[in-house]
Amino acid sequence: MSTTVFDAHTLPADDNVNPYAFSVDLNGQWFLQKGKMIAYYGQISFDGIGHGPLDSLVASSFHSPLHASDWVVASGKGRLLLADRAFDVNSYDLDDGNLTIRSGNLLAFDPRLSLKQSIIPGFVTLIGTGKFVAASNGQVHFVEPPIRVDPQALVGWADCPSPCHHYDHQYLRGFLGGVRHLTGIGGASGEEHQFEFTGSGTVLIQSTEKLIAEQATGAVPDEQGVPGGSPRWSR
Amino acid sequence: MSGFRPVNGKMIEATVNPGQVLYSQRGAMIAYRGEVSFTPSLTGGQGGVMSAIGRRVRGEAAPLMTVEGRGTVMFGHGGHEVHVIDLTGELLHVESDRLLAFEGSLRQGTVFLGSQGGVMGLVRGQATGQGLFTTTLEGKGAVAVLAHGGVFELPVTPGRPVNVDPQAYVCHRGQLTNRLTTALSWRDMVGRGSGEAFQLELSGQGTVFVQASEEKL
């Protein structure tokens, strides 16, 4: 195995350098999560969103100013290398589609896409056409519904309805199950709860249950009918 | 034909049919299709209550669950590489916490390391982190073991023993005797050792599975 030495011209354009680093051929603007840039060639400036001339981007690409401060805009021309704690990194293309992903897993995205908060807490949704880069602990595996997924192994889903919770407590029923439930003898299988996907689309799963730390997606407005919004009933 | 199909280096897929039981480490299910139930195995494997008590006493009672029903299940754990071993009647020695999943057609047992080499067997168990007991699987079926870094197989034939670092040892298949060899010298005492003072020598007929890392699970 030989080591390839890259320079500004031989670095891959919008492709992986190795399984853990991704090179963006930047000409214009990209959004990236804070702290995910590892190196760059060229003239690139990194600005926090919401300051000065970039103010209008919040309106066009974020729609929700609440979590915009977790993102920076890379603008300029050059090659930009992205990585996240040696997790597997991959790019995905959306073609007039939608994809919901765990907030901590999303590294960077094309400004043609718009980022919105999902109604599932901890997840964000990307809508439109463009490229984005996401990290996962172990390679991502694509599966099609109907499927039930361990909550920790779920990375995201595309073009399919939001999941629901599935509980499986069959082994806690009956006489022996009751004894088990009361005494704790025999323990739990750790698989009593899954996310169930139905309908058509694609589900992205990672090969381990170890999560990437979540990024705050911001609070939702305190409103009736908004999941996670605080007033649960009207006064 | 193996019952376990690799999905990628860190995940396997298994088909479950009625009447065929799988055992897997608890919490190692990634996703499944169909109607499959996951029951914590009270006995931690096979062989009835007495062998379960035996395993508990010996600290080899890995938290296992029984997987049954009809469908396909994906397993993976902790971001470790998964290696599938197909057994066709041979004996496999493996540490219980490295077991990701195995087919119910395999017979599970526990062996006392001291029965192989007396006191040195005990020392070896401590040095390799295996403890005093290790799990055996025997029969026809597939086993998925976890390892840090990729796994490769080293064949052992009579007269050609293999020395492995105890930390890189994953499991072994076949009729092998293992012996802990030491190369301790005064240099180790003053902290100038080579770091390879203990080695595991395996001899006989079989295969040793080694991981490309010295990190224990």
Side-chain angles (χ1 to χ4, degrees):
Chain A
M1 201 180 109
S2 66
T3 311
T4 320
V5 178
F6 291 108
D7 64 21
H9 301 287
T10 58
L11 264 178
D14 289 337
D15 203 358
N16 275 69
V17 181
N18 67 27
Y20 315 110
F22 186 85
S23 165
V24 178
D25 185 16
L26 187 72
N27 190 1
Q29 288 175 324
W30 259 69
F31 292 117
L32 48 139
Q33 232 180 57
K34 276 187 178 165
K36 307 303 184 209
M37 184 275 289
I38 52 165
Y40 68 91
Y41 270 115
Q43 295 296 318
I44 300 176
S45 64
F46 298 89
D47 298 287
I49 292 173
H51 307 305
L54 299 170
D55 222 4
S56 63
L57 280 174
V58 175
S60 65
S61 278
F62 280 92
H63 306 275
S64 145
L66 297 160
H67 59 104
S69 58
D70 296 323
W71 293 83
V72 285
V73 185
S75 41
K77 196 167 162 47
R79 294 280 158 91
L80 177 65
L81 285 172
L82 303 167
D84 186 13
R85 289 162 288 171
F87 288 122
D88 287 61
V89 171
N90 261 307
S91 73
Y92 305 85
D93 288 298
L94 269 185
D95 183 21
D96 194 17
N98 71 80
L99 183 134
T100 306
I101 186 167
R102 206 175 273 280
S103 60
N105 291 54
L106 182 64
L107 290 195
F109 64 98
D110 193 322
R112 287 179 296 160
L113 289 168
S114 61
L115 181 74
K116 306 193 187 199
Q117 239 176 308
S118 168
I119 67 166
I120 317 280
F123 284 81
V124 289
T125 303
L126 288 160
I127 299 177
T129 303
K131 196 184 266 296
F132 66 95
V133 179
S136 56
N137 193 343
Q139 270 172 289
V140 166
H141 183 56
F142 297 88
V143 286
E144 273 172 22
I147 194 157
R148 293 178 186 148
V149 182
D150 188 287
Q152 288 93 49
L154 178 68
V155 173
W157 60 93
D159 302 325
C160 60
S162 295
C164 49
H165 293 280
H166 172 84
Y167 294 96
D168 185 4
H169 286 122
Q170 192 60 48
Y171 70 85
L172 292 176
R173 299 210 188 104
F175 173 71
L176 270 179
V179 170
R180 191 196 283 272
H181 188 63
L182 287 173
T183 59
I185 291 172
S189 68
E191 311 291 11
E192 295 83 14
H193 174 217
Q194 292 99 30
F195 290 151
E196 178 160 356
F197 288 88
T198 51
S200 63
T202 312
V203 182
L204 284 71
I205 54 180
Q206 62 181 14
S207 51
T208 95
E209 315 89 339
K210 280 194 187 158
L211 286 173
I212 294 177
E214 198 171 284
Q215 283 281 327
T217 52
V220 290
D222 277 355
E223 238 178 82
Q224 265 190 310
V226 176
S230 58
R232 258 157 282 164
W233 53 78
S234 59
R235 265 168 283 180
Chain B
M1 177 57 203
S2 172
F4 295 149
R5 295 175 298 283
V7 173
N8 56 40
K10 297 178 176 178
M11 225 196 298
I12 54 158
E13 191 178 54
T15 307
V16 200
N17 284 314
Q20 285 177 333
V21 177
L22 286 181
Y23 291 94
S24 98
Q25 196 170 106
R26 285 187 201 169
M29 185 273 289
I30 298 278
Y32 73 91
R33 276 176 225 279
E35 286 306 318
V36 184
S37 67
F38 301 88
T39 312
S41 169
L42 205 57
T43 52
Q46 298 153 302
V49 176
M50 280 319 282
S51 68
I53 293 171
R55 272 194 290 274
R56 187 64 53 88
V57 168
R58 293 160 187 177
E60 278 292 315
L64 291 178
M65 59 184 182
T66 315
V67 182
E68 32 193 355
R70 184 189 293 278
T72 56
V73 190
M74 281 171 239
F75 295 106
H77 187 66
H80 295 293
E81 268 84 355
V82 182
H83 191 74
V84 177
I85 302 168
D86 287 306
L87 291 181
T88 48
E90 304 103 316
L91 182 69
L92 183 84
H93 283 77
V94 63
E95 204 45 37
S96 58
D97 48 9
R98 282 194 184 271
L99 270 177
L100 177 67
F102 61 95
E103 288 182 321
S105 53
L106 293 168
R107 282 189 307 283
Q108 192 186 8
T110 314
V111 291
F112 179 53
L113 286 177
S115 65
Q116 226 184 56
V119 177
M120 270 320 273
L122 301 180
V123 174
R124 183 181 61 232
Q126 293 304 318
T128 58
Q130 286 178 303
L132 302 183
F133 297 91
T134 194
T135 299
T136 56
L137 292 169
E138 194 177 11
K140 271 174 123 62
V143 188
V145 291
L146 292 165
H148 186 249
V151 173
F152 50 96
E153 307 183 6
L154 297 175
V156 182
T157 48
R160 281 187 167 272
V162 171
N163 285 285
V164 299
D165 187 307
Q167 275 119 38
Y169 165 85
V170 174
C171 59
H172 72 259
R173 178 175 65 191
Q175 295 301 323
L176 292 180
T177 24
N178 49 14
R179 196 164 66 87
L180 189 75
T181 55
T182 50
L184 279 171
S185 72
W186 61 271
R187 287 175 190 275
D188 292 282
M189 303 304 162
V190 295
R192 296 257 173 197
S194 61
E196 307 288 0
F198 290 96
Q199 286 148 14
L200 204 58
E201 186 194 85
L202 294 116
S203 52
Q205 179 79 47
T207 316
V208 188
F209 296 82
V210 183
Q211 66 178 11
S213 163
E214 302 196 333
E215 187 174 303
K216 301 290 292 181
L217 290 200

Coordinates of all heavy atoms in Angstrom, one line a residue, chain A residues 185-225:
Chain A
I185 N -35.1 -11.2 37.3 CA -34.3 -12.3 36.9 C -34.3 -12.6 35.4 O -35.4 -12.6 34.8 CB -34.7 -13.6 37.7 CG1 -34.5 -13.5 39.2 CG2 -34.0 -14.9 37.1 CD1 -35.1 -14.5 40.0
G186 N -33.2 -12.7 34.9 CA -33.1 -13.0 33.4 C -32.8 -11.7 32.6 O -32.4 -11.8 31.5
G187 N -33.0 -10.6 33.3 CA -32.6 -9.3 32.6 C -33.5 -9.0 31.4 O -34.5 -9.6 31.2
A188 N -33.1 -7.9 30.7 CA -33.8 -7.5 29.6 C -33.0 -7.8 28.3 O -31.8 -7.9 28.4 CB -34.1 -6.0 29.7
S189 N -33.7 -7.9 27.2 CA -33.0 -8.2 26.0 C -32.3 -6.9 25.4 O -31.5 -7.0 24.5 CB -33.9 -8.9 25.0 OG -34.8 -8.0 24.5
G190 N -32.8 -5.8 25.8 CA -32.3 -4.5 25.3 C -32.9 -4.3 23.9 O -32.5 -3.3 23.2
E191 N -33.8 -5.1 23.5 CA -34.4 -4.9 22.1 C -35.9 -4.8 22.3 O -36.7 -5.3 21.5 CB -34.1 -6.0 21.2 CG -32.6 -6.4 21.2 CD -31.7 -5.4 20.5 OE1 -32.2 -4.2 20.2 OE2 -30.6 -5.7 20.2
E192 N -36.4 -4.1 23.3 CA -37.9 -4.0 23.5 C -38.5 -2.9 22.7 O -39.7 -2.8 22.6 CB -38.2 -3.8 25.0 CG -37.8 -4.9 25.9 CD -36.4 -4.9 26.3 OE1 -35.7 -3.8 26.1 OE2 -35.9 -5.9 26.8
H193 N -37.6 -2.0 22.2 CA -38.1 -0.8 21.5 C -37.4 -0.6 20.2 O -36.2 -0.7 20.2 CB -37.9 0.3 22.5 CG -38.2 1.7 21.9 ND1 -37.5 2.8 22.1 CD2 -39.2 2.0 21.0 CE1 -38.0 3.8 21.5 NE2 -39.0 3.3 20.8
Q194 N -38.2 -0.4 19.2 CA -37.6 -0.1 17.9 C -38.4 1.0 17.2 O -39.4 1.3 17.6 CB -37.7 -1.4 16.9 CG -36.8 -2.5 17.3 CD -37.6 -3.6 18.0 OE1 -38.8 -3.7 17.8 NE2 -36.9 -4.3 19.0
F195 N -37.8 1.5 16.2 CA -38.5 2.5 15.3 C -39.0 1.7 14.1 O -38.2 0.9 13.5 CB -37.6 3.6 14.8 CG -37.1 4.6 15.8 CD1 -35.9 5.2 15.7 CD2 -37.9 4.8 16.9 CE1 -35.5 6.1 16.7 CE2 -37.6 5.7 17.9 CZ -36.3 6.4 17.8
E196 N -40.3 1.8 13.8 CA -40.8 1.1 12.7 C -41.1 2.0 11.5 O -41.7 3.0 11.7 CB -42.2 0.4 13.2 CG -42.8 -0.3 12.1 CD -43.8 -1.4 12.6 OE1 -43.9 -1.6 13.8 OE2 -44.5 -2.0 11.7
F197 N -40.6 1.6 10.4 CA -40.8 2.3 9.2 C -41.7 1.5 8.3 O -41.5 0.3 8.1 CB -39.5 2.5 8.4 CG -38.6 3.5 9.1 CD1 -37.7 3.1 10.1 CD2 -38.6 4.8 8.7 CE1 -36.9 4.0 10.7 CE2 -37.8 5.8 9.4 CZ -36.9 5.4 10.3
T198 N -42.7 2.2 7.7 CA -43.6 1.6 6.7 C -43.6 2.5 5.5 O -43.2 3.7 5.6 CB -45.0 1.3 7.2 OG1 -45.5 2.5 7.8 CG2 -45.0 0.2 8.3
G199 N -44.2 2.1 4.4 CA -44.4 2.9 3.2 C -43.1 2.7 2.4 O -42.4 1.8 2.5
S200 N -43.0 3.6 1.4 CA -41.8 3.4 0.5 C -40.8 4.5 0.8 O -41.1 5.6 1.2 CB -42.3 3.5 -1.0 OG -42.8 4.7 -1.2
G201 N -39.5 4.2 0.5 CA -38.5 5.2 0.8 C -37.2 4.4 1.1 O -37.1 3.2 0.7
T202 N -36.3 5.1 1.7 CA -35.0 4.4 2.1 C -34.7 4.8 3.5 O -34.9 5.9 4.0 CB -33.9 5.0 1.2 OG1 -34.3 4.9 -0.1 CG2 -32.6 4.2 1.4
V203 N -34.2 3.8 4.3 CA -33.8 4.0 5.7 C -32.3 3.9 5.8 O -31.7 2.9 5.2 CB -34.5 3.1 6.6 CG1 -34.1 3.4 8.1 CG2 -36.0 3.2 6.5
L204 N -31.6 4.8 6.4 CA -30.1 4.7 6.6 C -29.8 4.2 8.0 O -30.2 4.8 9.0 CB -29.5 6.1 6.4 CG -29.4 6.7 5.0 CD1 -30.8 7.1 4.4 CD2 -28.5 7.8 5.0
I205 N -29.0 3.1 8.1 CA -28.7 2.6 9.4 C -27.1 2.5 9.5 O -26.5 2.3 8.5 CB -29.3 1.3 9.7 CG1 -29.1 0.2 8.7 CG2 -30.8 1.5 10.0 CD1 -29.7 -1.1 9.0
Q206 N -26.6 2.7 10.7 CA -25.2 2.5 10.9 C -24.9 1.2 11.5 O -25.9 0.6 12.1 CB -24.6 3.7 11.6 CG -25.2 3.8 13.0 CD -24.6 5.0 13.8 OE1 -23.9 5.9 13.2 NE2 -24.8 5.0 15.1
S207 N -23.7 0.7 11.5 CA -23.5 -0.7 11.9 C -23.2 -0.8 13.4 O -22.8 -1.8 13.8 CB -22.3 -1.3 11.1 OG -21.2 -0.4 11.1
T208 N -23.4 0.2 14.1 CA -23.2 0.1 15.6 C -24.2 0.9 16.3 O -24.9 1.7 15.7 CB -21.8 0.6 16.1 OG1 -22.0 1.9 16.6 CG2 -20.8 0.6 15.0
E209 N -24.3 0.6 17.6 CA -25.3 1.4 18.4 C -24.7 2.6 19.1 O -25.3 3.2 19.8 CB -25.9 0.5 19.5 CG -26.4 -0.9 19.0 CD -25.3 -1.9 19.2 OE1 -24.1 -1.5 19.2 OE2 -25.5 -3.1 19.2
K210 N -23.4 2.8 18.7 CA -22.7 3.9 19.4 C -23.1 5.2 18.6 O -22.8 5.3 17.4 CB -21.2 3.7 19.4 CG -20.8 2.8 20.5 CD -19.3 2.9 20.7 CE -18.8 1.9 21.7 NZ -17.4 1.6 21.6
L211 N -23.6 6.2 19.3 CA -24.1 7.4 18.6 C -23.0 8.4 18.5 O -22.0 8.5 19.3 CB -25.2 8.0 19.5 CG -26.5 7.2 19.4 CD1 -27.5 7.9 20.4 CD2 -27.1 7.3 18.0
I212 N -23.2 9.3 17.6 CA -22.4 10.5 17.5 C -23.2 11.5 18.3 O -24.4 11.6 18.2 CB -22.3 11.0 16.0 CG1 -21.5 9.9 15.2 CG2 -21.7 12.3 15.9 CD1 -21.4 10.2 13.7
A213 N -22.5 12.3 19.1 CA -23.1 13.3 20.0 C -24.1 14.2 19.2 O -23.8 14.6 18.1 CB -22.1 14.1 20.7
E214 N -25.2 14.4 19.8 CA -26.3 15.2 19.2 C -25.9 16.6 19.1 O -25.3 17.2 20.1 CB -27.6 14.9 19.9 CG -28.8 15.3 19.2 CD -30.0 14.8 20.0 OE1 -30.3 13.6 20.0 OE2 -30.7 15.7 20.6
Q215 N -26.3 17.3 18.1 CA -26.2 18.8 18.0 C -27.5 19.4 18.4 O -28.6 18.9 18.0 CB -25.9 19.2 16.6 CG -24.5 19.0 16.2 CD -23.5 20.0 16.7 OE1 -23.9 21.2 16.9 NE2 -22.3 19.6 17.1
A216 N -27.5 20.4 19.2 CA -28.8 21.0 19.5 C -29.4 21.5 18.2 O -28.8 22.1 17.4 CB -28.5 22.1 20.5
T217 N -30.7 21.3 18.1 CA -31.4 21.8 16.9 C -32.2 23.0 17.2 O -32.9 23.6 16.4 CB -32.3 20.8 16.3 OG1 -33.2 20.3 17.3 CG2 -31.5 19.6 15.7
G218 N -32.2 23.5 18.4 CA -32.9 24.6 18.8 C -34.3 24.2 19.3 O -34.8 23.2 19.0
A219 N -34.9 25.1 20.1 CA -36.2 24.8 20.7 C -37.2 25.1 19.7 O -37.0 25.9 18.7 CB -36.4 25.7 21.9
V220 N -38.4 24.5 19.8 CA -39.5 24.8 18.9 C -40.4 25.9 19.5 O -40.3 26.1 20.7 CB -40.3 23.5 18.6 CG1 -39.5 22.6 17.7 CG2 -40.7 22.8 19.9
P221 N -41.1 26.6 18.7 CA -42.0 27.6 19.3 C -43.0 27.0 20.3 O -43.5 25.9 20.1 CB -42.7 28.2 18.0 CG -41.9 27.7 16.9 CD -41.3 26.4 17.3
D222 N -43.2 27.8 21.3 CA -44.2 27.4 22.3 C -45.6 27.6 21.7 O -46.1 28.7 21.8 CB -44.0 28.3 23.6 CG -43.0 27.7 24.5 OD1 -42.4 26.7 24.1 OD2 -42.7 28.4 25.5
E223 N -46.1 26.6 21.2 CA -47.4 26.7 20.5 C -48.2 25.5 20.7 O -47.6 24.4 20.8 CB -47.1 26.8 19.0 CG -47.6 28.1 18.4 CD -47.2 28.1 16.9 OE1 -47.9 27.4 16.1 OE2 -46.2 28.7 16.6
Q224 N -49.5 25.6 20.7 CA -50.3 24.4 20.8 C -50.1 23.6 19.5 O -50.0 24.2 18.4 CB -51.8 24.8 20.9 CG -52.2 24.9 22.3 CD -53.7 25.1 22.4 OE1 -54.2 25.9 21.7 NE2 -54.4 24.3 23.1
G225 N -50.1 22.3 19.6 CA -50.0 21.4 18.5 C -48.6 21.2 17.9 O -48.5 20.5 17.0

